[in-house]
mmCIF file of all heavy atoms in Angstrom:
data_model
loop_
_atom_site.group_PDB
_atom_site.id
_atom_site.type_symbol
_atom_site.label_atom_id
_atom_site.label_comp_id
_atom_site.label_asym_id
_atom_site.label_seq_id
_atom_site.Cartn_x
_atom_site.Cartn_y
_atom_site.Cartn_z
ATOM 1 N N HIS A 195 -122.456 165.310 95.660
ATOM 2 C CA HIS A 195 -122.288 163.908 95.341
ATOM 3 C C HIS A 195 -122.951 163.612 94.007
ATOM 4 O O HIS A 195 -123.981 164.173 93.655
ATOM 5 C CB HIS A 195 -122.917 163.050 96.438
ATOM 6 C CG HIS A 195 -122.224 163.198 97.741
ATOM 7 N ND1 HIS A 195 -120.996 162.633 98.002
ATOM 8 C CD2 HIS A 195 -122.585 163.862 98.862
ATOM 9 C CE1 HIS A 195 -120.633 162.927 99.233
ATOM 10 N NE2 HIS A 195 -121.581 163.681 99.762
ATOM 11 N N ALA A 196 -122.358 162.715 93.277
ATOM 12 C CA ALA A 196 -122.841 162.399 91.944
ATOM 13 C C ALA A 196 -124.136 161.629 91.999
ATOM 14 O O ALA A 196 -124.361 160.812 92.865
ATOM 15 C CB ALA A 196 -121.796 161.571 91.207
ATOM 16 N N PHE A 197 -124.991 161.933 91.043
ATOM 17 C CA PHE A 197 -126.181 161.134 90.847
ATOM 18 C C PHE A 197 -125.826 159.970 89.937
ATOM 19 O O PHE A 197 -124.941 160.053 89.098
ATOM 20 C CB PHE A 197 -127.297 161.980 90.231
ATOM 21 C CG PHE A 197 -127.799 163.057 91.166
ATOM 22 C CD1 PHE A 197 -127.189 164.298 91.211
ATOM 23 C CD2 PHE A 197 -128.856 162.799 91.992
ATOM 24 C CE1 PHE A 197 -127.651 165.270 92.065
ATOM 25 C CE2 PHE A 197 -129.331 163.765 92.855
ATOM 26 C CZ PHE A 197 -128.728 165.002 92.891
ATOM 27 N N SER A 198 -126.550 158.871 90.118
ATOM 28 C CA SER A 198 -126.209 157.668 89.358
ATOM 29 C C SER A 198 -126.528 157.806 87.884
ATOM 30 O O SER A 198 -126.069 157.007 87.076
ATOM 31 C CB SER A 198 -126.966 156.466 89.927
ATOM 32 O OG SER A 198 -128.359 156.687 89.845
ATOM 33 N N ASP A 199 -127.326 158.817 87.482
ATOM 34 C CA ASP A 199 -127.686 158.973 86.073
ATOM 35 C C ASP A 199 -127.274 160.346 85.551
ATOM 36 O O ASP A 199 -127.967 160.947 84.749
ATOM 37 C CB ASP A 199 -129.193 158.780 85.898
ATOM 38 C CG ASP A 199 -130.002 159.751 86.737
ATOM 39 O OD1 ASP A 199 -129.403 160.390 87.631
ATOM 40 O OD2 ASP A 199 -131.217 159.877 86.509
ATOM 41 N N SER A 200 -126.142 160.873 86.003
ATOM 42 C CA SER A 200 -125.705 162.197 85.587
ATOM 43 C C SER A 200 -124.265 162.150 85.097
ATOM 44 O O SER A 200 -123.537 161.183 85.325
ATOM 45 C CB SER A 200 -125.832 163.196 86.747
ATOM 46 O OG SER A 200 -124.947 162.845 87.782
ATOM 47 N N SER A 201 -123.842 163.226 84.445
ATOM 48 C CA SER A 201 -122.486 163.328 83.901
ATOM 49 C C SER A 201 -122.126 164.805 83.792
ATOM 50 O O SER A 201 -122.998 165.666 83.742
ATOM 51 C CB SER A 201 -122.410 162.654 82.522
ATOM 52 O OG SER A 201 -123.331 163.269 81.632
ATOM 53 N N PRO A 202 -120.828 165.132 83.745
ATOM 54 C CA PRO A 202 -120.421 166.543 83.656
ATOM 55 C C PRO A 202 -120.436 167.055 82.216
ATOM 56 O O PRO A 202 -120.392 166.280 81.257
ATOM 57 C CB PRO A 202 -119.003 166.517 84.226
ATOM 58 C CG PRO A 202 -118.496 165.152 83.892
ATOM 59 C CD PRO A 202 -119.682 164.230 83.981
ATOM 60 N N PHE A 203 -120.469 168.366 82.105
ATOM 61 C CA PHE A 203 -120.395 169.050 80.811
ATOM 62 C C PHE A 203 -119.381 170.171 80.930
ATOM 63 O O PHE A 203 -119.439 170.980 81.862
ATOM 64 C CB PHE A 203 -121.763 169.608 80.414
ATOM 65 C CG PHE A 203 -121.742 170.404 79.138
ATOM 66 C CD1 PHE A 203 -121.865 169.777 77.907
ATOM 67 C CD2 PHE A 203 -121.600 171.791 79.161
ATOM 68 C CE1 PHE A 203 -121.847 170.511 76.732
ATOM 69 C CE2 PHE A 203 -121.588 172.527 77.989
ATOM 70 C CZ PHE A 203 -121.704 171.888 76.780
ATOM 71 N N VAL A 204 -118.435 170.241 79.981
ATOM 72 C CA VAL A 204 -117.366 171.242 80.018
ATOM 73 C C VAL A 204 -117.290 171.930 78.659
ATOM 74 O O VAL A 204 -117.300 171.269 77.609
ATOM 75 C CB VAL A 204 -116.008 170.600 80.363
ATOM 76 C CG1 VAL A 204 -114.903 171.653 80.334
ATOM 77 C CG2 VAL A 204 -116.060 169.938 81.723
ATOM 78 N N LEU A 205 -117.216 173.247 78.692
ATOM 79 C CA LEU A 205 -117.051 174.048 77.470
ATOM 80 C C LEU A 205 -116.100 175.195 77.794
ATOM 81 O O LEU A 205 -116.322 175.942 78.750
ATOM 82 C CB LEU A 205 -118.401 174.586 76.982
ATOM 83 C CG LEU A 205 -118.441 175.310 75.624
ATOM 84 C CD1 LEU A 205 -119.836 175.186 75.009
ATOM 85 C CD2 LEU A 205 -118.074 176.794 75.740
ATOM 86 N N PHE A 206 -115.029 175.333 77.023
ATOM 87 C CA PHE A 206 -114.126 176.471 77.196
ATOM 88 C C PHE A 206 -113.575 176.871 75.823
ATOM 89 O O PHE A 206 -113.572 176.082 74.878
ATOM 90 C CB PHE A 206 -112.993 176.165 78.177
ATOM 91 C CG PHE A 206 -112.110 175.011 77.774
ATOM 92 C CD1 PHE A 206 -111.003 175.199 76.974
ATOM 93 C CD2 PHE A 206 -112.376 173.733 78.224
ATOM 94 C CE1 PHE A 206 -110.172 174.156 76.608
ATOM 95 C CE2 PHE A 206 -111.550 172.670 77.871
ATOM 96 C CZ PHE A 206 -110.450 172.877 77.064
ATOM 97 N N SER A 207 -113.107 178.111 75.761
ATOM 98 C CA SER A 207 -112.704 178.657 74.470
ATOM 99 C C SER A 207 -111.567 179.667 74.659
ATOM 100 O O SER A 207 -111.427 180.280 75.723
ATOM 101 C CB SER A 207 -113.897 179.340 73.784
ATOM 102 O OG SER A 207 -113.509 179.954 72.581
ATOM 103 N N THR A 208 -110.779 179.816 73.596
ATOM 104 C CA THR A 208 -109.737 180.844 73.589
ATOM 105 C C THR A 208 -110.313 182.219 73.313
ATOM 106 O O THR A 208 -109.598 183.221 73.390
ATOM 107 C CB THR A 208 -108.680 180.511 72.532
ATOM 108 O OG1 THR A 208 -109.316 180.372 71.250
ATOM 109 C CG2 THR A 208 -107.962 179.220 72.873
ATOM 110 N N SER A 209 -111.587 182.274 72.980
ATOM 111 C CA SER A 209 -112.279 183.537 72.736
ATOM 112 C C SER A 209 -113.231 183.819 73.889
ATOM 113 O O SER A 209 -113.674 182.900 74.588
ATOM 114 C CB SER A 209 -113.042 183.487 71.421
ATOM 115 O OG SER A 209 -113.772 184.679 71.210
ATOM 116 N N LYS A 210 -113.570 185.073 74.092
ATOM 117 C CA LYS A 210 -114.522 185.424 75.130
ATOM 118 C C LYS A 210 -115.911 184.908 74.760
ATOM 119 O O LYS A 210 -116.345 185.026 73.613
ATOM 120 C CB LYS A 210 -114.566 186.943 75.324
ATOM 121 C CG LYS A 210 -113.284 187.510 75.932
ATOM 122 C CD LYS A 210 -113.423 188.999 76.198
ATOM 123 C CE LYS A 210 -112.154 189.554 76.840
ATOM 124 N NZ LYS A 210 -112.262 191.013 77.115
ATOM 125 N N LEU A 211 -116.585 184.359 75.764
ATOM 126 C CA LEU A 211 -117.898 183.761 75.549
ATOM 127 C C LEU A 211 -118.961 184.535 76.309
ATOM 128 O O LEU A 211 -118.706 185.087 77.386
ATOM 129 C CB LEU A 211 -117.907 182.296 76.010
ATOM 130 C CG LEU A 211 -116.894 181.361 75.345
ATOM 131 C CD1 LEU A 211 -116.980 179.979 75.957
ATOM 132 C CD2 LEU A 211 -117.140 181.274 73.841
ATOM 133 N N ASN A 212 -120.143 184.519 75.739
ATOM 134 C CA ASN A 212 -121.283 185.171 76.380
ATOM 135 C C ASN A 212 -121.973 184.142 77.288
ATOM 136 O O ASN A 212 -123.018 183.584 76.965
ATOM 137 C CB ASN A 212 -122.250 185.706 75.326
ATOM 138 C CG ASN A 212 -123.386 186.504 75.954
ATOM 139 O OD1 ASN A 212 -123.280 186.985 77.077
ATOM 140 N ND2 ASN A 212 -124.485 186.631 75.222
ATOM 141 N N THR A 213 -121.359 183.881 78.424
ATOM 142 C CA THR A 213 -121.874 182.872 79.353
ATOM 143 C C THR A 213 -122.784 183.522 80.389
ATOM 144 O O THR A 213 -122.610 184.693 80.732
ATOM 145 C CB THR A 213 -120.716 182.159 80.070
ATOM 146 O OG1 THR A 213 -119.927 183.134 80.763
ATOM 147 C CG2 THR A 213 -119.847 181.417 79.074
ATOM 148 N N PRO A 214 -123.753 182.775 80.902
ATOM 149 C CA PRO A 214 -124.612 183.333 81.960
ATOM 150 C C PRO A 214 -123.823 183.569 83.226
ATOM 151 O O PRO A 214 -122.869 182.851 83.541
ATOM 152 C CB PRO A 214 -125.683 182.250 82.147
ATOM 153 C CG PRO A 214 -125.078 180.996 81.616
ATOM 154 C CD PRO A 214 -124.165 181.412 80.505
ATOM 155 N N GLU A 215 -124.188 184.630 83.954
ATOM 156 C CA GLU A 215 -123.463 184.963 85.178
ATOM 157 C C GLU A 215 -123.691 183.920 86.268
ATOM 158 O O GLU A 215 -122.767 183.552 86.992
ATOM 159 C CB GLU A 215 -123.907 186.342 85.674
ATOM 160 C CG GLU A 215 -123.528 187.476 84.728
ATOM 161 C CD GLU A 215 -123.929 188.826 85.276
ATOM 162 O OE1 GLU A 215 -124.529 188.853 86.393
ATOM 163 O OE2 GLU A 215 -123.663 189.850 84.627
ATOM 164 N N LYS A 216 -124.923 183.433 86.405
ATOM 165 C CA LYS A 216 -125.244 182.441 87.430
ATOM 166 C C LYS A 216 -126.023 181.298 86.791
ATOM 167 O O LYS A 216 -126.913 181.526 85.967
ATOM 168 C CB LYS A 216 -126.075 183.066 88.555
ATOM 169 C CG LYS A 216 -125.339 184.141 89.349
ATOM 170 C CD LYS A 216 -126.224 184.683 90.463
ATOM 171 C CE LYS A 216 -125.494 185.747 91.274
ATOM 172 N NZ LYS A 216 -126.349 186.290 92.377
ATOM 173 N N TYR A 217 -125.670 180.108 87.162
ATOM 174 C CA TYR A 217 -126.389 178.935 86.668
ATOM 175 C C TYR A 217 -126.186 177.790 87.646
ATOM 176 O O TYR A 217 -125.196 177.736 88.387
ATOM 177 C CB TYR A 217 -125.917 178.545 85.259
ATOM 178 C CG TYR A 217 -124.425 178.387 85.108
ATOM 179 C CD1 TYR A 217 -123.788 177.173 85.348
ATOM 180 C CD2 TYR A 217 -123.640 179.480 84.723
ATOM 181 C CE1 TYR A 217 -122.429 177.044 85.211
ATOM 182 C CE2 TYR A 217 -122.267 179.355 84.585
ATOM 183 C CZ TYR A 217 -121.670 178.141 84.829
ATOM 184 O OH TYR A 217 -120.314 178.007 84.692
ATOM 185 N N ASP A 218 -127.124 176.875 87.642
ATOM 186 C CA ASP A 218 -127.096 175.751 88.570
ATOM 187 C C ASP A 218 -126.085 174.705 88.117
ATOM 188 O O ASP A 218 -125.837 174.528 86.923
ATOM 189 C CB ASP A 218 -128.480 175.113 88.681
ATOM 190 C CG ASP A 218 -129.517 176.066 89.259
ATOM 191 O OD1 ASP A 218 -129.119 176.926 90.064
ATOM 192 O OD2 ASP A 218 -130.705 175.945 88.902
ATOM 193 N N GLN A 219 -125.524 174.004 89.090
ATOM 194 C CA GLN A 219 -124.610 172.915 88.794
ATOM 195 C C GLN A 219 -125.337 171.579 88.625
ATOM 196 O O GLN A 219 -124.699 170.557 88.391
ATOM 197 C CB GLN A 219 -123.565 172.789 89.899
ATOM 198 C CG GLN A 219 -122.539 173.903 89.900
ATOM 199 C CD GLN A 219 -121.704 173.926 88.626
ATOM 200 O OE1 GLN A 219 -121.253 172.888 88.156
ATOM 201 N NE2 GLN A 219 -121.515 175.114 88.079
ATOM 202 N N LEU A 220 -126.632 171.592 88.735
ATOM 203 C CA LEU A 220 -127.462 170.419 88.451
ATOM 204 C C LEU A 220 -128.533 170.837 87.457
ATOM 205 O O LEU A 220 -129.436 171.609 87.787
ATOM 206 C CB LEU A 220 -128.087 169.871 89.734
ATOM 207 C CG LEU A 220 -129.102 168.736 89.552
ATOM 208 C CD1 LEU A 220 -128.452 167.527 88.904
ATOM 209 C CD2 LEU A 220 -129.734 168.352 90.878
ATOM 210 N N GLN A 221 -128.411 170.346 86.224
ATOM 211 C CA GLN A 221 -129.339 170.717 85.162
ATOM 212 C C GLN A 221 -129.681 169.484 84.330
ATOM 213 O O GLN A 221 -128.975 168.475 84.345
ATOM 214 C CB GLN A 221 -128.740 171.804 84.256
ATOM 215 C CG GLN A 221 -128.382 173.098 84.957
ATOM 216 C CD GLN A 221 -127.895 174.167 83.989
ATOM 217 O OE1 GLN A 221 -128.251 174.162 82.810
ATOM 218 N NE2 GLN A 221 -127.072 175.079 84.482
ATOM 219 N N THR A 222 -130.761 169.612 83.584
ATOM 220 C CA THR A 222 -131.121 168.557 82.647
ATOM 221 C C THR A 222 -130.326 168.740 81.355
ATOM 222 O O THR A 222 -129.766 169.811 81.081
ATOM 223 C CB THR A 222 -132.621 168.588 82.344
ATOM 224 O OG1 THR A 222 -132.953 169.835 81.705
ATOM 225 C CG2 THR A 222 -133.425 168.455 83.633
ATOM 226 N N SER A 223 -130.304 167.701 80.548
ATOM 227 C CA SER A 223 -129.554 167.781 79.289
ATOM 228 C C SER A 223 -130.147 168.830 78.352
ATOM 229 O O SER A 223 -129.405 169.510 77.632
ATOM 230 C CB SER A 223 -129.554 166.408 78.612
ATOM 231 O OG SER A 223 -130.879 165.946 78.395
ATOM 232 N N ASN A 224 -131.458 168.996 78.367
ATOM 233 C CA ASN A 224 -132.081 170.006 77.508
ATOM 234 C C ASN A 224 -131.659 171.421 77.927
ATOM 235 O O ASN A 224 -131.417 172.286 77.072
ATOM 236 C CB ASN A 224 -133.604 169.873 77.565
ATOM 237 C CG ASN A 224 -134.093 168.587 76.934
ATOM 238 O OD1 ASN A 224 -133.446 168.034 76.045
ATOM 239 N ND2 ASN A 224 -135.241 168.093 77.383
ATOM 240 N N GLN A 225 -131.561 171.658 79.231
ATOM 241 C CA GLN A 225 -131.128 172.977 79.695
ATOM 242 C C GLN A 225 -129.684 173.257 79.296
ATOM 243 O O GLN A 225 -129.345 174.369 78.870
ATOM 244 C CB GLN A 225 -131.281 173.061 81.218
ATOM 245 C CG GLN A 225 -132.714 173.049 81.712
ATOM 246 C CD GLN A 225 -132.812 173.004 83.222
ATOM 247 O OE1 GLN A 225 -132.014 172.330 83.882
ATOM 248 N NE2 GLN A 225 -133.784 173.701 83.775
ATOM 249 N N VAL A 226 -128.828 172.259 79.427
ATOM 250 C CA VAL A 226 -127.415 172.448 79.080
ATOM 251 C C VAL A 226 -127.248 172.665 77.586
ATOM 252 O O VAL A 226 -126.474 173.540 77.146
ATOM 253 C CB VAL A 226 -126.595 171.235 79.560
ATOM 254 C CG1 VAL A 226 -125.165 171.314 79.041
ATOM 255 C CG2 VAL A 226 -126.591 171.161 81.074
ATOM 256 N N ILE A 227 -127.947 171.900 76.773
ATOM 257 C CA ILE A 227 -127.844 172.055 75.320
ATOM 258 C C ILE A 227 -128.322 173.445 74.899
ATOM 259 O O ILE A 227 -127.709 174.102 74.038
ATOM 260 C CB ILE A 227 -128.667 170.964 74.609
ATOM 261 C CG1 ILE A 227 -128.001 169.593 74.798
ATOM 262 C CG2 ILE A 227 -128.812 171.267 73.130
ATOM 263 C CD1 ILE A 227 -126.643 169.472 74.161
ATOM 264 N N ALA A 228 -129.407 173.916 75.533
ATOM 265 C CA ALA A 228 -129.913 175.258 75.197
ATOM 266 C C ALA A 228 -128.892 176.336 75.556
ATOM 267 O O ALA A 228 -128.655 177.277 74.776
ATOM 268 C CB ALA A 228 -131.229 175.504 75.922
ATOM 269 N N SER A 229 -128.257 176.192 76.736
ATOM 270 C CA SER A 229 -127.240 177.177 77.140
ATOM 271 C C SER A 229 -126.025 177.114 76.209
ATOM 272 O O SER A 229 -125.461 178.153 75.839
ATOM 273 C CB SER A 229 -126.809 176.933 78.583
ATOM 274 O OG SER A 229 -127.901 177.064 79.478
ATOM 275 N N ALA A 230 -125.598 175.896 75.849
ATOM 276 C CA ALA A 230 -124.441 175.754 74.957
ATOM 277 C C ALA A 230 -124.721 176.362 73.590
ATOM 278 O O ALA A 230 -123.842 176.995 72.981
ATOM 279 C CB ALA A 230 -124.077 174.284 74.828
ATOM 280 N N LYS A 231 -125.923 176.182 73.083
ATOM 281 C CA LYS A 231 -126.266 176.764 71.779
ATOM 282 C C LYS A 231 -126.268 178.286 71.831
ATOM 283 O O LYS A 231 -125.840 178.949 70.868
ATOM 284 C CB LYS A 231 -127.614 176.234 71.311
ATOM 285 C CG LYS A 231 -127.578 174.774 70.872
ATOM 286 C CD LYS A 231 -128.940 174.308 70.376
ATOM 287 C CE LYS A 231 -128.877 172.852 69.879
ATOM 288 N NZ LYS A 231 -130.191 172.379 69.376
ATOM 289 N N ASP A 232 -126.745 178.850 72.942
ATOM 290 C CA ASP A 232 -126.709 180.310 73.079
ATOM 291 C C ASP A 232 -125.262 180.816 73.086
ATOM 292 O O ASP A 232 -124.964 181.877 72.516
ATOM 293 C CB ASP A 232 -127.412 180.726 74.373
ATOM 294 C CG ASP A 232 -128.915 180.519 74.296
ATOM 295 O OD1 ASP A 232 -129.440 180.427 73.166
ATOM 296 O OD2 ASP A 232 -129.553 180.423 75.364
ATOM 297 N N ILE A 233 -124.367 180.068 73.724
ATOM 298 C CA ILE A 233 -122.969 180.487 73.788
ATOM 299 C C ILE A 233 -122.295 180.370 72.426
ATOM 300 O O ILE A 233 -121.513 181.240 72.016
ATOM 301 C CB ILE A 233 -122.221 179.644 74.839
ATOM 302 C CG1 ILE A 233 -122.782 179.928 76.244
ATOM 303 C CG2 ILE A 233 -120.726 179.931 74.807
ATOM 304 C CD1 ILE A 233 -122.237 178.998 77.316
ATOM 305 N N LEU A 234 -122.601 179.293 71.704
ATOM 306 C CA LEU A 234 -121.951 179.033 70.416
ATOM 307 C C LEU A 234 -122.641 179.708 69.242
ATOM 308 O O LEU A 234 -122.164 179.585 68.111
ATOM 309 C CB LEU A 234 -121.909 177.519 70.168
ATOM 310 C CG LEU A 234 -121.138 176.685 71.200
ATOM 311 C CD1 LEU A 234 -121.287 175.207 70.903
ATOM 312 C CD2 LEU A 234 -119.662 177.081 71.209
ATOM 313 N N SER A 235 -123.721 180.399 69.488
ATOM 314 C CA SER A 235 -124.467 181.011 68.383
ATOM 315 C C SER A 235 -123.671 182.092 67.656
ATOM 316 O O SER A 235 -123.908 182.366 66.472
ATOM 317 C CB SER A 235 -125.778 181.601 68.911
ATOM 318 O OG SER A 235 -125.519 182.598 69.895
ATOM 319 N N SER A 236 -122.704 182.689 68.340
ATOM 320 C CA SER A 236 -121.896 183.744 67.721
ATOM 321 C C SER A 236 -120.708 183.208 66.939
ATOM 322 O O SER A 236 -119.939 184.000 66.386
ATOM 323 C CB SER A 236 -121.409 184.718 68.796
ATOM 324 O OG SER A 236 -120.588 184.040 69.743
ATOM 325 N N CYS A 237 -120.529 181.865 66.921
ATOM 326 C CA CYS A 237 -119.392 181.237 66.235
ATOM 327 C C CYS A 237 -118.084 181.899 66.682
ATOM 328 O O CYS A 237 -117.375 182.536 65.889
ATOM 329 C CB CYS A 237 -119.561 181.328 64.726
ATOM 330 S SG CYS A 237 -118.367 180.338 63.782
ATOM 331 N N PRO A 238 -117.724 181.755 67.962
ATOM 332 C CA PRO A 238 -116.631 182.541 68.527
ATOM 333 C C PRO A 238 -115.245 182.211 67.980
ATOM 334 O O PRO A 238 -114.363 183.076 67.968
ATOM 335 C CB PRO A 238 -116.712 182.216 70.027
ATOM 336 C CG PRO A 238 -117.386 180.883 70.085
ATOM 337 C CD PRO A 238 -118.339 180.847 68.951
ATOM 338 N N THR A 239 -115.002 180.985 67.528
ATOM 339 C CA THR A 239 -113.664 180.597 67.076
ATOM 340 C C THR A 239 -113.746 179.900 65.715
ATOM 341 O O THR A 239 -114.824 179.626 65.196
ATOM 342 C CB THR A 239 -113.001 179.653 68.095
ATOM 343 O OG1 THR A 239 -113.836 178.515 68.299
ATOM 344 C CG2 THR A 239 -112.774 180.355 69.430
#
């Protein structure tokens, strides 16, 4: 169930991404931004 102060985050690419194998579906914005930066650090597209 949704929290009243939360929102979804979606990232997908036509290139293969170095995504973590397991991660929680409830995270803080700082955790999500850190994970997104790790994925985009290789400039995949």
Side-chain angles (χ1 to χ4, degrees):
H195 295 286
F197 293 87
S198 60
D199 58 347
S200 65
S201 59
F203 176 86
V204 178
L205 187 153
F206 60 88
S207 176
T208 56
S209 177
K210 291 184 178 180
L211 302 177
N212 185 21
T213 58
E215 294 182 359
K216 295 181 179 180
Y217 52 89
D218 297 330
Q219 288 297 316
L220 174 61
Q221 300 184 26
T222 63
S223 57
N224 293 333
Q225 292 175 322
V226 172
I227 290 296
S229 299
K231 288 182 178 181
D232 289 340
I233 295 172
L234 299 175
S235 60
S236 61
C237 190
T239 57

